[in-house]
Amino acid sequence: MHKKKLKLPFNKGELKKLDKPEYMKNNYATWRKFRKDSNANYYILPVEMKKYLPLLKSNSLNLYLFYCLNSNNEDGTSWYSTDSLAKSLDASTRSINTWNNDLIDLGLIYRIHDGKKSATTFLLPLSNYFVKVISPDLNKYIQTANTDIDGELVSVIHLFQWRKNSEKEEYDQPYNVVLLTFEKTIHPKQTNGEIIKKKKYVLLEIEEEIKEFSISLSAQNFQEDIYWFESPLEGKLPADILVKGIALSTVYNLKDKDYRYVLDTIETLSESIIHISEDTVLRV
């Protein structure tokens, strides 16, 4: 019979007596590793929550933490009536309604009643993020976007980049993707004119319209990190939606597995449409 080796969450190395600060750090690290290795449930609280703390009353924060700890880990949903929340937090239903309104006002949650006793509560993103999508049609995707949740579409950028040809080890493969920037602006009632902005970036690969598009400048001749070009998408969207074409140097990798790096890159690109010099415009 195969014997499974017993593994304990101890640190490797010689045992030694630790001073109190080191003991406390080791104590927490061991507990954290145990929770991770045992696949125990937990909620990841992003560091961006710090900017909300001065705006939240302690009781509203308690309610938010309750939602965080009791929501579905995958989609952030929970189903609690005002009565059940009041019972769980030892508060009045009137207080629960007030705290819910505080959280909604700050853009931390969204609640839908649908005529049911228990409302559906949705946790909302706390920070900027991006998602990759494949769609056959840019216009249709824009039309299906929920601006009430994601915010307004503030920019559309046709990104072009030469990708590496694995057979020839040269950067001669065209790669096209559309960067959509949605911006949600929140005006909390309990602040003195302070606003909160959250952005959702969509890297949209369109299957037909621009898949084979390329520019006249080869990867080897790039002298700048980014260039403007006239995109074939210009004029194909509603008049109030401006499309910019940006060619990106091969120094940057839009397909990198480091999502933080990709987010930093596309945030810079989204802002760049204001700052790109006219001297870097290409005609293709």
Side-chain angles (χ1 to χ4, degrees), residues 197-234:
K197 290 187 176 182
K198 293 184 287 187
K199 293 182 179 180
K200 174 183 177 179
Y201 301 98
V202 179
L203 285 173
L204 184 66
E205 293 190 12
I206 307 174
E207 294 179 345
E208 299 297 335
E209 291 180 83
I210 57 172
K211 188 175 182 180
E212 302 301 326
F213 173 83
S214 64
I215 61 174
S216 58
L217 188 69
S218 66
Q220 294 81 1
N221 291 325
F222 267 58
Q223 300 297 318
E224 305 286 344
D225 286 342
I226 53 179
Y227 291 86
W228 276 3
F229 63 86
E230 293 181 357
S231 170
L233 293 175
E234 292 182 29

Side-chain angles (χ1 to χ4, degrees), residues 31-46:
W31 169 79
R32 187 173 182 274
K33 184 178 186 303
F34 169 79
R35 295 285 295 183
K36 180 181 178 182
D37 292 347
S38 61
N39 294 319
N41 289 337
Y42 62 92
Y43 174 73
I44 299 175
L45 190 63

Side-chain angles (χ1 to χ4, degrees), residues 23-197:
Y23 186 91
M24 296 302 293
K25 288 191 287 186
N26 184 73
N27 191 44
Y28 181 82
T30 303
W31 169 79
R32 187 173 182 274
K33 184 178 186 303
F34 169 79
R35 295 285 295 183
K36 180 181 178 182
D37 292 347
S38 61
N39 294 319
N41 289 337
Y42 62 92
Y43 174 73
I44 299 175
L45 190 63
V47 295
E48 286 81 4
M49 186 62 196
K50 290 190 295 185
K51 67 183 178 185
Y52 293 93
L53 294 180
L55 308 176
L56 276 172
K57 300 172 185 176
S58 58
N59 288 325
S60 299
L61 179 59
N62 286 343
L63 178 58
Y64 181 69
L65 290 175
F66 180 89
Y67 285 134
C68 292
L69 297 172
N70 292 282
S71 294
N72 183 293
N73 279 343
E74 295 297 324
D75 57 25
T77 55
S78 60
W79 297 267
Y80 289 95
S81 67
T82 303
D83 288 339
S84 61
L85 289 169
K87 184 177 180 180
S88 296
L89 296 178
D90 192 22
S92 67
T93 55
R94 183 177 180 180
S95 294
I96 295 297
N97 287 331
T98 299
W99 303 339
N100 269 326
N101 288 335
D102 288 343
L103 299 179
I104 293 169
D105 181 50
L106 286 171
L108 292 173
I109 65 169
Y110 192 88
R111 280 169 64 83
I112 297 177
H113 289 275
D114 288 336
K116 300 177 182 178
K117 185 176 181 180
S118 297
T120 304
T121 302
F122 301 86
L123 295 176
L124 297 178
L126 298 180
S127 60
N128 297 346
Y129 71 105
F130 75 91
V131 60
K132 295 181 179 180
V133 178
I134 297 176
S135 174
D137 188 279
L138 175 59
N139 263 307
K140 286 183 179 179
Y141 181 84
I142 291 175
Q143 291 169 8
T144 58
N146 191 324
T147 55
D148 189 37
I149 302 298
D150 295 331
E152 296 297 325
L153 178 62
V154 295
S155 70
V156 178
I157 302 176
H158 172 184
L159 292 174
F160 172 84
Q161 187 176 46
W162 291 112
R163 302 291 300 181
K164 193 172 186 178
N165 186 327
S166 58
E167 295 180 358
K168 298 191 296 183
E169 294 296 314
E170 296 179 0
Y171 288 88
D172 61 1
Q173 298 298 299
Y175 173 64
N176 292 277
V177 66
V178 179
L179 172 60
L180 307 176
T181 301
F182 293 90
E183 184 175 85
K184 180 72 173 178
T185 303
I186 301 165
H187 301 269
K189 296 175 183 176
Q190 61 265 48
T191 62
N192 297 321
E194 183 179 349
I195 62 174
I196 297 172
K197 290 187 176 182

